[in-house]
Amino acid sequence: MPEEKLKLEDLLGSVQRVDETERIDYVAIIGGGLMGQGIAQTIASAGLDVLIVEVDEEHIKRSQENLSTSMEREISRWSMTQSEMKSILSRIKWTVEIADVAECELIIEAVDENYDLKMKIFKSLDKIARPNTIFISNTSTLSLTKIAEVTNRKDKIIGMHFLNPVPKVPLVELVRALETSDKTVEIIKKFASKIGKKAIPVYEYPGFITTRAIVPLLNEAMHILLEGIATAEDIDTAMKLGYNFKTGPLEMADSMGLDEVLAWMQTLWDTLGEPRYRPSPILRKLVRERKLGKKTGEGFFKYDADGTIVH
Ligand code: NAI
């Protein structure tokens, strides 16, 4: 009889432990740029609390302003109400202290596409976060297996490749690194569905599905422009009318951020060695001039404060 009692207690204990690891109500996001803001809005819309970590107060201010501007744009298009915006913002907090993420049940990294930076962040998170907390990276092209190496929780590292604009795109690629456990995959699949995203599982490989397929198209559009075959406006119009694209490739690159697009192309070119990924010189030139697209007001096109092309 005591033996049976023990078994029952063991069983109850393990059920509690499973619940504990799977409960995700409070999510940290490292990096409050374009993607961090969109991910935060999406998660907060699903009723979860979010803490965004940024480098300094100036970046926090910019992040808050950009997030508010993009939600106000949604309100003006009737796709959001004032009270929805208010309730989303009430669930998002900002901090400059990475140590504040200690109590979060899930951590999503969305900083610049750079190995050294991401690895430095994962290394410190590994010391700060609870041992059972899963770490997610939003990288588009970098190896999660390599990033995971700096942690002591390789089974709990996984990629969630959200696409811009995150609140509008119903897809997320779920990227499995070499040592990601089945349990981590299951938990994150459920999390994706909770925040309204369809998760497509992919194995780790530079660019996964979406970045790998779109980058050569963006690059080709840039080559067409550079070779003087058509204007930027006509290239985008031709692709929109010809192939039923909602956005032309050059405006799409501007929306993604030309520095990010260049970083993806560079990684794909370095790791896969295919000429189709070699970044167009015009992209390098714009990035050198800090014309990074919508986020700086100019890239292939010029934009007003609302992010609309100025003709
Ligand atoms: P972004 O440049 O808009 O934002 C990056 C943010 O990270 C900046 O605000 C920067 O201040 C912050 N940051 C840098 N170091 C930090 C640190 N130590 N602690 C806290 N914050 C820090 O870049 P974006 O576009 O949001 O990209 C972020 C990641 O998402 C990249 O890995 C990119 O490849 C990926 N991604 C980007 C997409 C896009 O369309 N832009 C689409 C899918 C993925």
Side-chain angles (χ1 to χ4, degrees), residues 236-272:
D236 271 17
T237 305
M239 295 302 283
K240 283 196 276 191
L241 298 181
Y243 294 111
N244 210 11
F245 282 16
K246 251 202 310 214
T247 313
L250 298 174
E251 188 185 351
M252 196 186 287
D254 275 351
S255 307
M256 291 165 161
L258 299 185
D259 50 345
E260 294 300 327
V261 175
L262 177 60
W264 306 336
M265 276 190 204
Q266 194 64 54
T267 308
L268 290 168
W269 166 233
D270 289 346
T271 51
L272 303 175

Side-chain angles (χ1 to χ4, degrees), residues 294-310:
K294 285 192 186 180
K295 61 184 168 189
T296 57
E298 186 173 352
F300 289 101
F301 300 99
K302 286 191 174 153
Y303 299 88
D304 64 17
D306 279 345
T308 309
I309 294 181
V310 180

